[in-house]
Amino acid sequence: MQVQGYFDLRFETLKEAFGELFSDIQERGAALCVQIGGETVVDLWAGVADKDGEQAWHSDTILNLFSCTKPFAAVAALQLVGEGKLDLDAPVAHYWPEFAAAGKERITPRQLLAHTAGLPALREMLPAEALYDWQQMITALASEQPWWEPGTGHGYAAITYGWLIGELLRRIDGRGPGESIVARIAKPLGLDFHVGLADSEFERVAHIARKKGEMGDAAAQRLLRCMMSEPASMSTRAFANPPSILTSTNKPEWRRMQQPAANGHGNARALAGFYAGLLDGRLLEAEQLNEMTREHACGEDKTLLTRTRFGLGCMLDQADVANATYGLGRKAFGHPGAGGSVGFADPQRDIAFGFVTNSLGPYVLMDPRAQKLARALAQCL
């Protein structure tokens, strides 16, 4: 497989590790970008972008980044905090009055961002088309009762996070959540990142497909067993209500919507650029970044059924947990996306890392491909 792009010769080992990913015949396309101290030292891509394997992955190929989107939404919210427009510890209902229903009057934005609010899923099944109806989704969430007492535990809000944080952004910032994120983050930093993709960009979006035959680790198998055998469980509802969540990735209506939990579109360069912007202070004041990257929740995740550790809208490193470490420093923070893409920062080494793939693996948290690349990067240092 021909690897294209740029790499500093000090990182040849990393370039070779990236190329080795394609020894797996199911690996379709991928890209990798690493910045150190704001300088791009690796910017590579290879493989194919389309469904039939005929269109090469290009420098400007973008794809659905899934939950790598969540920290972008969190940063937009934290910018509002810095501007005095949002109080992390005020009731969400102060900004969104209808949200106070069903025992949610004391839930705070901090709890939404840290996945401790008890709202990772909706109990009542919605039709598939509800996924694209913003008003229907926020009305359902506003009337939903928490699955546990808010603040007493945590459970990953895989998709509901997008409507919960997105509605706060919409009400406070006065524009769509994707518009807010792009105006506040992507445009100032010059990132090729979109939440609500214009039709004119569709031709450069990589088609995403699942790898076949891989079972994943114990955490992935545990969650899969739950989803197959317990259709009414919170974990199942979190990923399958509306039922279109898991089947919409390549659909035009998914690309167009502004769902800042899971439908950001960009590339490895955009992820690395975002984390570089956090590390050098262009996106957040130190106070807000410290809040974002401070531990807010740690332990068994009620949704994912594995151990997670969260700041505000970001996943914090767990160096001693195989499926939950980025593979570099203990202070690393960022977010994996479903199937293998990941963006993160290692503030101790001033590293910003972005890896994206359109070959979806089965892992719940960190994909071994990204971890392998991070280990190769550490060797180069």
Side-chain angles (χ1 to χ4, degrees), residues 112-124:
L112 296 182
L113 286 162
H115 302 279
T116 63
L119 295 169
L122 292 163
R123 291 175 177 83
E124 185 178 339

Side-chain angles (χ1 to χ4, degrees), residues 306-323:
T306 189
R307 183 181 168 88
T308 54
R309 180 172 175 248
F310 289 105
L312 297 179
C314 66
M315 207 172 275
L316 305 179
D317 194 80
Q318 298 182 80
D320 54 347
V321 181
N323 72 331

Side-chain angles (χ1 to χ4, degrees), residues 183-201:
R184 289 175 167 276
I185 298 167
K187 284 186 177 169
L189 266 55
L191 305 179
D192 189 359
F193 181 79
H194 316 258
V195 183
L197 193 64
D199 286 23
S200 59
E201 306 284 0

Side-chain angles (χ1 to χ4, degrees), residues 36-83:
I36 302 180
E39 177 193 353
T40 299
V41 296
V42 172
D43 184 13
L44 302 171
W45 58 91
V48 297
D50 66 324
K51 187 177 182 180
D52 302 314
E54 296 173 355
Q55 180 185 330
W57 192 291
H58 294 296
S59 171
D60 68 342
T61 295
I62 57 175
L63 72 164
N64 189 181
L65 299 173
F66 297 105
S67 289
C68 297
T69 312
K70 287 183 172 74
F72 287 78
V75 167
L78 289 165
Q79 288 183 354
L80 291 172
V81 173
E83 294 162 13

Side-chain angles (χ1 to χ4, degrees), residues 92-115:
V92 171
H94 175 72
Y95 309 97
W96 177 3
E98 302 91 329
F99 185 83
K104 300 193 301 303
E105 63 277 355
R106 291 190 297 181
I107 288 177
T108 64
R110 186 186 300 276
Q111 291 171 329
L112 296 182
L113 286 162
H115 302 279

